[in-house]
Amino acid sequence: FVSDMGYIDDNYLAQAQEGGPWGASKIQKQKYVRDLLIKAKLMYEEFKLISNLLKKIAEEDKKQKIIIRAHPSENPDSWKKIFKKHKNVSIKSPIDDIAPYIMACSGMLHRGCTTSLQAMCVNKPLGFINLKKSEKINQFSFKLSTKITNVQDFIKWKSKINKKINYLKNKH
């Protein structure tokens, strides 16, 4: 799973208030922070849902290796804390190139991040974790991914990922 949420720990409100657009007026900055707080809360709620789904997947098939690569804006320790008892889950810090992980995987779960396009270019099967009504439904990677909403969807997707995929053929 390649994460792209950003706000993944209980301190998400403080993190959201740290920034602001450079050169913005006081009113613009207040609106920015207000909007960002709403987004941070939604991202944190989605993080909890996704981590629960990944936990269920890890528990369903203990032989299934799951690698979670944190987003550069995330603290990997939040992921590590959740999955510390799951020996089949490995958390990777976003300090190196993701390409080797993509090349080594049998399929990639994502939420619409740009790395899904990298995986698509090397014909890796894509599963879009869609636990809430996604705002990304018009994205290219959403359209070409299998939608994963529960463990059963994951199991079905996993059983089909050995088929050869060519995203570039007959798609445009």
Side-chain angles (χ1 to χ4, degrees), residues 30-85:
Q30 288 171 342
K31 181 185 180 326
Y32 174 85
V33 168
R34 185 178 60 248
D35 292 346
L36 195 55
L37 289 173
I38 293 167
K39 180 180 179 184
K41 184 175 190 244
L42 293 172
M43 287 291 103
Y44 181 64
E45 289 170 0
E46 189 167 4
F47 162 73
K48 291 191 294 186
L49 292 172
I50 288 174
S51 60
N52 283 334
L53 174 67
L54 292 173
K55 208 184 296 184
K56 288 176 186 173
I57 290 169
E59 291 164 0
E60 180 80 20
D61 182 359
K62 294 189 182 351
K63 292 181 182 178
Q64 175 66 54
K65 179 73 172 167
I66 299 172
I67 297 175
I68 298 173
R69 185 173 186 275
H71 187 271
S73 67
E74 297 172 355
N75 182 346
D77 291 340
S78 297
W79 286 105
K80 289 176 183 175
K81 189 165 82 173
I82 290 171
F83 290 99
K84 65 184 171 195
K85 294 180 182 176

Side-chain angles (χ1 to χ4, degrees), residues 91-104:
I91 311 301
K92 300 297 180 187
S93 297
I95 56 173
D96 52 5
D97 185 11
I98 195 165
Y101 298 106
I102 293 172
M103 295 305 293

